[in-house]
Amino acid sequence: MSVSTARGLLERSGDHPVVSLFFNLDPSQFATLPARATQVRSLLDQAHAQSRETSVDHEDSKALAADLARLGAYLNSDELPVSGARSLAVFCSARDDLFETIRLSEPTGPAVIIARRPYIEPLIVAQDRERWLIALASRRSGRIFSGRLSALSEDARVEDDVRGQHRQGGWSQANYQRSVDEDAERHLRRIAEDLRHQWQRQRVQTVLLGGPVEAVARLRELLPADMRVALHEQRLELDPETATVDEVHRTVRPILAETERRRRSVVLEELAEAAAAGGPGAIGLTATLEALAERRVRTLVLAPDFRTSGARCPQCGLLTQEGIEFCPVDGTRLVAVEDLREALVEAAVLQDAEVVALDQPKPDQTPLEGIGALLRF
């Protein structure tokens, strides 16, 4: 999930209630239609309960009831884009002209939240930031996929009439085999050329190759130097002719998880170095709030157990810790914010900062106090 997508959701919402619903598609729990139907009923029950407790005017109340009816019909229909997704996020607000479904590559939820703004943290911290370019290649077949893992699409198939091995001996066999090898070489060059075109058209972070060892090794050699820099070292053990999109998803997921683990490690190392050297890093809530207010945050870092309340200025949007009554910038009386964590995520997204959610409360050798940030300056 990109920061720009989450920012677009925030910018499309206004002063009206937004229903943020997260539908879990983890096959270990919700593989069957009855299990999914039970989840739908539970989510809708929670949504109706929240709507009764939400303080809104008459028009918003009518619109919210219509939103919930629309969500119920949608979740019980055949329109859900479940292929390749481990969960879905659905955002609905008729008065803000908002109805959007986003596929996520990791299980999230189930949960439903009704608030004035979309609940975006599960989108931002999901392990689906990168765009992938994936090629499955053999000596006679090739397929190219691209996109984020939760929304991979098959962009091209390359099929060539490469003949099988000649069984006669002598010079005839040698000449025939040389011709077969030349056909296979032309076929792999076609795949490499198609990959290069896709690479030039899209903003891709990682290139993955799969198929027989020999074909993948030769395809690596045929790719231009700038693409080889983005090549992942692992070869996908998939059959280019028979592999389904779901099989591609299952094979790539562990690679994605490892990529995310490495990314978190790099961010924590940078944060520790910045804290030790007095560099562009903020540790703790006070320093992070100050950096967000000054729009200096490049990456917001959150421990899983960081939870606190605070306040927001309704005039300038400044976030503060709890216990401050008036905005230090314009003197406006502050409004209480029950979940400051989500408000901090929103503030980071609105200044195009990344958000990294850690999977352990206090990583070893890192002076993180629940929250911190890498700064632009």
Side-chain angles (χ1 to χ4, degrees), residues 19 48 78 130 139 210 214 224 228 230 238 251 291 322 330 343 349 361 371 374:
V19 184
H48 282 289
D78 295 328
E130 294 195 3
R139 284 167 59 90
E214 181 183 350
R228 289 201 295 272
L238 291 168
T251 305
E322 198 173 31
D330 55 33
V349 166
I371 185 171
L374 291 171

PDB file of all heavy atoms in Angstrom, residues 19 48 78 130 139 210 214 224 228 230 238 251 291 322 330 343 349 361 371 374:
ATOM      1  N   VAL A  19     -17.158   4.911   7.197  1.00  0.00           N
ATOM      2  CA  VAL A  19     -17.077   3.543   7.684  1.00  0.00           C
ATOM      3  C   VAL A  19     -15.810   2.916   7.111  1.00  0.00           C
ATOM      4  O   VAL A  19     -15.650   2.821   5.893  1.00  0.00           O
ATOM      5  CB  VAL A  19     -18.304   2.709   7.275  1.00  0.00           C
ATOM      6  CG1 VAL A  19     -18.210   1.309   7.887  1.00  0.00           C
ATOM      7  CG2 VAL A  19     -19.588   3.391   7.705  1.00  0.00           C
ATOM      8  N   HIS A  48     -23.507  -1.484  13.043  1.00  0.00           N
ATOM      9  CA  HIS A  48     -24.801  -0.937  13.455  1.00  0.00           C
ATOM     10  C   HIS A  48     -24.751  -0.478  14.910  1.00  0.00           C
ATOM     11  O   HIS A  48     -25.327   0.569  15.259  1.00  0.00           O
ATOM     12  CB  HIS A  48     -25.898  -1.972  13.248  1.00  0.00           C
ATOM     13  CG  HIS A  48     -26.342  -2.115  11.822  1.00  0.00           C
ATOM     14  ND1 HIS A  48     -27.079  -1.147  11.173  1.00  0.00           N
ATOM     15  CD2 HIS A  48     -26.125  -3.104  10.915  1.00  0.00           C
ATOM     16  CE1 HIS A  48     -27.319  -1.527   9.929  1.00  0.00           C
ATOM     17  NE2 HIS A  48     -26.757  -2.718   9.744  1.00  0.00           N
ATOM     18  N   ASP A  78     -20.997 -11.175  -5.143  1.00  0.00           N
ATOM     19  CA  ASP A  78     -19.864 -11.814  -5.833  1.00  0.00           C
ATOM     20  C   ASP A  78     -18.870 -10.777  -6.352  1.00  0.00           C
ATOM     21  O   ASP A  78     -17.973 -11.110  -7.124  1.00  0.00           O
ATOM     22  CB  ASP A  78     -20.371 -12.651  -7.015  1.00  0.00           C
ATOM     23  CG  ASP A  78     -21.236 -13.819  -6.571  1.00  0.00           C
ATOM     24  OD1 ASP A  78     -20.979 -14.342  -5.474  1.00  0.00           O
ATOM     25  OD2 ASP A  78     -22.164 -14.187  -7.323  1.00  0.00           O
ATOM     26  N   GLU A 130       5.979  -2.490  -2.094  1.00  0.00           N
ATOM     27  CA  GLU A 130       6.761  -2.551  -3.321  1.00  0.00           C
ATOM     28  C   GLU A 130       5.938  -2.998  -4.520  1.00  0.00           C
ATOM     29  O   GLU A 130       4.992  -3.767  -4.402  1.00  0.00           O
ATOM     30  CB  GLU A 130       7.936  -3.522  -3.150  1.00  0.00           C
ATOM     31  CG  GLU A 130       8.974  -3.086  -2.149  1.00  0.00           C
ATOM     32  CD  GLU A 130      10.262  -3.881  -2.295  1.00  0.00           C
ATOM     33  OE1 GLU A 130      10.347  -4.723  -3.207  1.00  0.00           O
ATOM     34  OE2 GLU A 130      11.181  -3.662  -1.506  1.00  0.00           O
ATOM     35  N   ARG A 139      12.617 -22.676 -21.697  1.00  0.00           N
ATOM     36  CA  ARG A 139      13.168 -22.556 -23.046  1.00  0.00           C
ATOM     37  C   ARG A 139      12.087 -22.391 -24.102  1.00  0.00           C
ATOM     38  O   ARG A 139      12.388 -22.057 -25.248  1.00  0.00           O
ATOM     39  CB  ARG A 139      14.027 -23.777 -23.357  1.00  0.00           C
ATOM     40  CG  ARG A 139      15.386 -23.749 -22.658  1.00  0.00           C
ATOM     41  CD  ARG A 139      16.063 -25.104 -22.722  1.00  0.00           C
ATOM     42  NE  ARG A 139      16.291 -25.578 -24.076  1.00  0.00           N
ATOM     43  CZ  ARG A 139      17.402 -25.343 -24.797  1.00  0.00           C
ATOM     44  NH1 ARG A 139      18.382 -24.605 -24.261  1.00  0.00           N
ATOM     45  NH2 ARG A 139      17.531 -25.817 -26.015  1.00  0.00           N
ATOM     46  N   GLY A 210      11.649 -16.800 -12.245  1.00  0.00           N
ATOM     47  CA  GLY A 210      11.341 -18.162 -11.848  1.00  0.00           C
ATOM     48  C   GLY A 210      11.330 -19.090 -13.038  1.00  0.00           C
ATOM     49  O   GLY A 210      11.158 -18.665 -14.180  1.00  0.00           O
ATOM     50  N   GLU A 214      18.551 -23.403 -15.709  1.00  0.00           N
ATOM     51  CA  GLU A 214      19.303 -22.985 -16.896  1.00  0.00           C
ATOM     52  C   GLU A 214      18.652 -21.787 -17.577  1.00  0.00           C
ATOM     53  O   GLU A 214      19.335 -20.821 -17.964  1.00  0.00           O
ATOM     54  CB  GLU A 214      19.404 -24.158 -17.878  1.00  0.00           C
ATOM     55  CG  GLU A 214      20.196 -23.836 -19.136  1.00  0.00           C
ATOM     56  CD  GLU A 214      20.216 -24.987 -20.125  1.00  0.00           C
ATOM     57  OE1 GLU A 214      19.779 -26.100 -19.759  1.00  0.00           O
ATOM     58  OE2 GLU A 214      20.672 -24.767 -21.266  1.00  0.00           O
ATOM     59  N   PRO A 224      19.329  -5.932 -19.042  1.00  0.00           N
ATOM     60  CA  PRO A 224      20.264  -4.793 -18.987  1.00  0.00           C
ATOM     61  C   PRO A 224      20.790  -4.576 -17.570  1.00  0.00           C
ATOM     62  O   PRO A 224      20.176  -5.002 -16.589  1.00  0.00           O
ATOM     63  CB  PRO A 224      19.418  -3.617 -19.470  1.00  0.00           C
ATOM     64  CG  PRO A 224      18.001  -4.040 -19.272  1.00  0.00           C
ATOM     65  CD  PRO A 224      17.969  -5.520 -19.439  1.00  0.00           C
ATOM     66  N   ARG A 228      19.424  -5.574 -13.622  1.00  0.00           N
ATOM     67  CA  ARG A 228      20.082  -6.604 -12.808  1.00  0.00           C
ATOM     68  C   ARG A 228      20.334  -6.121 -11.387  1.00  0.00           C
ATOM     69  O   ARG A 228      20.384  -6.917 -10.453  1.00  0.00           O
ATOM     70  CB  ARG A 228      21.389  -7.053 -13.471  1.00  0.00           C
ATOM     71  CG  ARG A 228      21.174  -7.876 -14.740  1.00  0.00           C
ATOM     72  CD  ARG A 228      22.391  -8.716 -15.067  1.00  0.00           C
ATOM     73  NE  ARG A 228      23.552  -7.896 -15.386  1.00  0.00           N
ATOM     74  CZ  ARG A 228      23.850  -7.451 -16.598  1.00  0.00           C
ATOM     75  NH1 ARG A 228      23.055  -7.742 -17.634  1.00  0.00           N
ATOM     76  NH2 ARG A 228      24.922  -6.720 -16.801  1.00  0.00           N
ATOM     77  N   ALA A 230      18.223  -4.568  -9.596  1.00  0.00           N
ATOM     78  CA  ALA A 230      16.982  -4.790  -8.846  1.00  0.00           C
ATOM     79  C   ALA A 230      16.592  -6.261  -8.767  1.00  0.00           C
ATOM     80  O   ALA A 230      15.584  -6.601  -8.164  1.00  0.00           O
ATOM     81  CB  ALA A 230      15.845  -3.999  -9.486  1.00  0.00           C
ATOM     82  N   LEU A 238       8.793 -22.382  -9.866  1.00  0.00           N
ATOM     83  CA  LEU A 238       7.445 -22.487 -10.416  1.00  0.00           C
ATOM     84  C   LEU A 238       7.514 -22.920 -11.867  1.00  0.00           C
ATOM     85  O   LEU A 238       8.464 -22.569 -12.586  1.00  0.00           O
ATOM     86  CB  LEU A 238       6.720 -21.134 -10.316  1.00  0.00           C
ATOM     87  CG  LEU A 238       6.351 -20.647  -8.911  1.00  0.00           C
ATOM     88  CD1 LEU A 238       5.917 -19.188  -8.958  1.00  0.00           C
ATOM     89  CD2 LEU A 238       5.253 -21.511  -8.321  1.00  0.00           C
ATOM     90  N   THR A 251       4.260 -18.220  -3.309  1.00  0.00           N
ATOM     91  CA  THR A 251       5.720 -18.349  -3.406  1.00  0.00           C
ATOM     92  C   THR A 251       6.422 -17.041  -3.066  1.00  0.00           C
ATOM     93  O   THR A 251       7.503 -17.034  -2.477  1.00  0.00           O
ATOM     94  CB  THR A 251       6.108 -18.803  -4.823  1.00  0.00           C
ATOM     95  OG1 THR A 251       5.406 -20.006  -5.140  1.00  0.00           O
ATOM     96  CG2 THR A 251       7.607 -19.076  -4.921  1.00  0.00           C
ATOM     97  N   ALA A 291       8.649  17.339  15.507  1.00  0.00           N
ATOM     98  CA  ALA A 291       9.100  17.133  14.125  1.00  0.00           C
ATOM     99  C   ALA A 291       7.922  17.065  13.159  1.00  0.00           C
ATOM    100  O   ALA A 291       7.989  17.596  12.042  1.00  0.00           O
ATOM    101  CB  ALA A 291       9.924  15.848  14.042  1.00  0.00           C
ATOM    102  N   GLU A 322      -1.514  14.955  25.905  1.00  0.00           N
ATOM    103  CA  GLU A 322      -2.638  15.193  26.794  1.00  0.00           C
ATOM    104  C   GLU A 322      -2.245  16.197  27.875  1.00  0.00           C
ATOM    105  O   GLU A 322      -1.090  16.270  28.273  1.00  0.00           O
ATOM    106  CB  GLU A 322      -3.056  13.861  27.434  1.00  0.00           C
ATOM    107  CG  GLU A 322      -4.444  13.862  28.030  1.00  0.00           C
ATOM    108  CD  GLU A 322      -4.848  12.477  28.474  1.00  0.00           C
ATOM    109  OE1 GLU A 322      -3.953  11.696  28.869  1.00  0.00           O
ATOM    110  OE2 GLU A 322      -6.043  12.162  28.438  1.00  0.00           O
ATOM    111  N   ASP A 330      -1.927  29.167  17.872  1.00  0.00           N
ATOM    112  CA  ASP A 330      -2.945  30.188  17.621  1.00  0.00           C
ATOM    113  C   ASP A 330      -3.902  30.404  18.796  1.00  0.00           C
ATOM    114  O   ASP A 330      -4.851  31.176  18.692  1.00  0.00           O
ATOM    115  CB  ASP A 330      -3.742  29.851  16.361  1.00  0.00           C
ATOM    116  CG  ASP A 330      -4.358  28.458  16.407  1.00  0.00           C
ATOM    117  OD1 ASP A 330      -4.728  28.004  17.502  1.00  0.00           O
ATOM    118  OD2 ASP A 330      -4.457  27.815  15.349  1.00  0.00           O
ATOM    119  N   ALA A 343      -3.881   9.374  14.840  1.00  0.00           N
ATOM    120  CA  ALA A 343      -3.718  10.773  14.430  1.00  0.00           C
ATOM    121  C   ALA A 343      -2.290  11.050  13.977  1.00  0.00           C
ATOM    122  O   ALA A 343      -2.061  11.809  13.030  1.00  0.00           O
ATOM    123  CB  ALA A 343      -4.098  11.698  15.589  1.00  0.00           C
ATOM    124  N   VAL A 349       1.296  10.660   7.033  1.00  0.00           N
ATOM    125  CA  VAL A 349       0.868  10.408   5.654  1.00  0.00           C
ATOM    126  C   VAL A 349       0.610  11.707   4.908  1.00  0.00           C
ATOM    127  O   VAL A 349       0.965  11.845   3.727  1.00  0.00           O
ATOM    128  CB  VAL A 349      -0.397   9.514   5.656  1.00  0.00           C
ATOM    129  CG1 VAL A 349      -1.069   9.499   4.285  1.00  0.00           C
ATOM    130  CG2 VAL A 349      -0.028   8.089   6.074  1.00  0.00           C
ATOM    131  N   PRO A 361       7.972  -4.763  20.936  1.00  0.00           N
ATOM    132  CA  PRO A 361       7.848  -3.481  21.658  1.00  0.00           C
ATOM    133  C   PRO A 361       9.121  -2.657  21.727  1.00  0.00           C
ATOM    134  O   PRO A 361       9.106  -1.465  21.471  1.00  0.00           O
ATOM    135  CB  PRO A 361       7.392  -3.910  23.052  1.00  0.00           C
ATOM    136  CG  PRO A 361       6.733  -5.222  22.843  1.00  0.00           C
ATOM    137  CD  PRO A 361       7.487  -5.892  21.727  1.00  0.00           C
ATOM    138  N   ILE A 371       7.880   5.401  20.253  1.00  0.00           N
ATOM    139  CA  ILE A 371       7.700   6.153  19.017  1.00  0.00           C
ATOM    140  C   ILE A 371       8.971   6.930  18.690  1.00  0.00           C
ATOM    141  O   ILE A 371       9.715   7.347  19.591  1.00  0.00           O
ATOM    142  CB  ILE A 371       6.499   7.115  19.129  1.00  0.00           C
ATOM    143  CG1 ILE A 371       6.224   7.806  17.793  1.00  0.00           C
ATOM    144  CG2 ILE A 371       6.706   8.142  20.239  1.00  0.00           C
ATOM    145  CD1 ILE A 371       4.931   8.590  17.779  1.00  0.00           C
ATOM    146  N   LEU A 374      12.656   9.180  11.730  1.00  0.00           N
ATOM    147  CA  LEU A 374      13.791   9.649  10.930  1.00  0.00           C
ATOM    148  C   LEU A 374      13.365  10.927  10.250  1.00  0.00           C
ATOM    149  O   LEU A 374      12.241  11.038   9.740  1.00  0.00           O
ATOM    150  CB  LEU A 374      14.172   8.587   9.888  1.00  0.00           C
ATOM    151  CG  LEU A 374      14.784   7.313  10.428  1.00  0.00           C
ATOM    152  CD1 LEU A 374      14.916   6.272   9.316  1.00  0.00           C
ATOM    153  CD2 LEU A 374      16.153   7.582  11.039  1.00  0.00           C
TER     154      LEU A 374
END
